[in-house]
């Protein structure tokens, strides 16, 4: 049975992917000039095969700035030859107000990030949960098999893990370009209104500001170029997302005493309706199209 048919691999796929990206970096099997980190918008918008310079993506579904920070710190600790020249934060408008450990997806902190980094942030886990989380993943043969899988192809999506695997109502309704304009407006509005609730999380904002400041300080002093990018979203979604988010992001970056290149890809029309899987994620073709544009930006 190949690793792609192994139930343990599929059940722990997100952990196996992220751990493998660190393994590829630490063993120098891949020496990326560009490192991407961020949440699902980066995972589904950035196709590293379309980036002209060597790159690795540490983006993941529901990932927050707290865990972005852990990825980058671990990379820098192991970057003894200073191969990383650019770090890109793939953001949503609400990223600075978002804490995974206090959401409905908080169990990802124990399932994915505790084995990686030894922390569940603000999610309480028992010692038994922590021990079980770690022990289930460290069979040497299993680790060798999934390392080999990602050594052959370091893309998150493949023939086994498809972009629309967790099909939402938009996908099951035919996809973004095949539903009516009224449906697009309703789906986008509901999605944006849900995410607009994060703006009340002031303590999370302060914590993320502190983390981002320290991380940018370290990157800047290391001579690494920093990009903060809002990924492309549908026009309908952008209309309904709280405009205060963007103002806050601008204020954060303008006040930093470090050079951070900020790009909101929604300020220019670079993708089309058929490039979207749903209101805020791209199709495979859309991701390739966007990634070729992104590659030019990062040249």
């Amino acid at each position: 049975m190949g690793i792609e048919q192994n139930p343990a691999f599929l059940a722990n796929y997100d952990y196996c992917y992220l751990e493998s990206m660190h393994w590829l970096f630490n063993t120098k099997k891949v020496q990326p000039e560009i490192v991407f980190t961020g949440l699902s918008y980066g995972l589904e918008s950035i196709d590293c095969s379309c980036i002209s310079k060597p790159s690795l993506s540490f983006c993941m579904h529901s990932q927050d700035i707290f865990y972005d920070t852990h990825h980058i710190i671990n990379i820098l600790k192991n970057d003894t030859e200073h191969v990383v020249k650019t770090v890109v934060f793939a953001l949503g408008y609400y990223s600075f107000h978002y804490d995974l450990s206090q959401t409905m997806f908080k169990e990802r902190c124990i399932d994915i990030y505790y084995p990686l980094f030894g922390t569940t942030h603000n999610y309480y886990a028992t010692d038994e949960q922590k021990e079980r989380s770690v022990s289930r993943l460290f069979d040497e043969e299993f680790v060798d098999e999934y390392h080999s899988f990602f050594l052959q192809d370091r893309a998150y999506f493949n023939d086994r893990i498809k972009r629309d695997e967790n099909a939402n109502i938009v996908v099951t309704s035919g996809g973004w370009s095949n539903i009516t304009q009224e449906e697009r407006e309703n789906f986008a509005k509901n999605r944006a209104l849900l995410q607009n609730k994060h703006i009340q999380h002031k303590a999370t904002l302060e914590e993320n500001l502190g983390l981002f400041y320290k991380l940018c300080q370290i990157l800047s002093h290391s001579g690494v170029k920093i990009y903060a990018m809002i990924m492309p979203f549908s026009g309908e979604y952008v209309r309904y997302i709280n405009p205060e988010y963007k103002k806050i992001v601008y204020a954060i970056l303008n006040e930093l005493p470090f050079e951070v290149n900020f790009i909101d890809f929604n300020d220019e029309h670079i993708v089309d309706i058929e490039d979207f899987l749903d209101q805020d994620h791209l199709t495979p073709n859309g991701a390739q199209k966007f990634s070729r544009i992104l590659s030019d930006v990062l040249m």
Side-chain angles (χ1 to χ4, degrees):
M1 180 177 65
I3 187 70
E4 62 269 27
Q5 276 79 48
N6 186 329
F9 176 61
L10 298 176
N12 298 286
Y13 186 81
D14 290 355
Y15 166 82
C16 293
Y17 169 82
L18 289 174
E19 195 277 334
S20 293
M21 295 305 105
H22 283 285
W23 173 75
L24 288 170
F25 183 85
N26 295 340
T27 57
K28 297 182 172 58
K29 288 178 171 55
V30 178
Q31 295 190 288
E33 290 186 40
I34 303 171
V35 167
F36 298 101
T37 189
L39 68 177
S40 64
Y41 302 135
L43 182 66
E44 301 207 19
S45 295
I46 299 168
D47 184 338
C48 286
S49 69
C50 298
I51 304 297
S52 59
K53 294 180 179 179
S55 60
L56 280 176
S57 174
F58 295 82
C59 299
M60 183 48 62
H61 301 292
S62 305
Q63 191 164 280
D64 59 13
I65 287 175
F66 178 81
Y67 288 119
D68 288 337
T69 301
H70 279 73
H71 284 305
I72 300 303
I73 292 298
N74 273 26
I75 289 165
L76 293 176
K77 284 180 179 177
N78 290 287
D79 189 14
T80 55
E81 298 178 7
H82 305 288
V83 299
V84 176
K85 307 300 181 187
T86 301
V87 167
V88 178
F89 295 91
L91 305 174
Y93 285 109
Y94 60 89
S95 286
F96 283 99
H97 293 79
Y98 171 67
D99 175 354
L100 169 63
S101 67
Q102 300 191 70
T103 70
M104 63 184 295
F105 305 110
K106 58 182 179 259
E107 289 190 0
R108 292 175 67 81
C109 296
I110 187 70
D111 293 335
I112 300 170
Y113 297 105
Y114 184 78
L116 279 173
F117 305 127
T119 176
T120 58
H121 198 195
N122 293 312
Y123 171 64
Y124 174 75
T126 66
D127 291 340
E128 182 181 356
Q129 285 177 300
K130 292 175 181 177
E131 182 179 350
R132 186 167 61 247
S133 173
V134 172
S135 63
R136 79 186 197 282
L137 295 167
F138 288 99
D139 176 81
E140 288 187 12
E141 184 177 349
F142 177 58
V143 173
D144 288 343
E145 286 182 1
Y146 73 70
H147 279 175
S148 296
F149 178 85
F150 287 111
L151 179 61
Q152 293 176 359
D153 183 359
R154 62 183 186 271
Y156 177 88
F157 295 106
N158 47 58
D159 291 339
R160 190 66 178 85
I161 304 297
K162 299 184 183 299
R163 195 169 297 261
D164 58 353
E165 180 189 42
N166 297 319
N168 59 32
I169 190 171
V170 178
V171 176
T172 57
S173 297
W176 194 247
S177 61
N178 294 315
I179 59 177
T180 67
Q181 182 58 35
E182 182 180 2
E183 287 174 317
R184 283 192 286 271
E185 292 288 338
N186 287 333
F187 286 133
K189 183 177 182 180
N190 290 336
R191 177 77 164 168
L193 291 178
L194 181 66
Q195 295 171 344
N196 285 343
K197 295 178 181 179
H198 291 296
I199 203 158
Q200 63 188 298
H201 301 152
K202 306 299 183 185
T204 296
L205 174 62
E206 290 303 313
E207 180 183 16
N208 283 333
L209 282 177
L211 290 169
F212 193 72
Y213 180 96
K214 291 177 181 177
L215 190 52
C216 288
Q217 183 180 46
I218 294 169
L219 290 168
S220 181
H221 289 171
S222 301
V224 177
K225 194 169 187 178
I226 309 166
Y227 283 89
M229 298 180 173
I230 304 292
M231 295 291 99
F233 303 128
S234 69
E236 292 85 357
Y237 173 88
V238 172
R239 281 200 297 276
Y240 289 111
I241 200 72
N242 191 332
E244 289 299 312
Y245 280 132
K246 187 169 182 175
K247 294 178 183 178
I248 292 169
V249 173
Y250 267 117
I252 290 169
L253 300 181
N254 286 335
E255 291 174 8
L256 287 174
F258 321 107
E259 183 179 353
V260 179
N261 302 277
F262 175 64
I263 303 173
D264 182 345
F265 283 103
N266 299 289
D267 288 341
E268 298 184 29
H269 184 76
I270 61 171
V271 288
D272 302 305
I273 186 172
E274 62 267 19
D275 296 321
F276 285 95
L277 187 67
D278 57 21
Q279 59 276 349
D280 51 352
H281 296 96
L282 297 178
T283 65
N285 288 338
Q288 291 177 2
K289 176 180 177 178
F290 169 71
S291 296
R292 287 190 288 269
I293 296 169
L294 177 59
S295 183
D296 291 339
V297 170
L298 297 174
M299 286 295 291

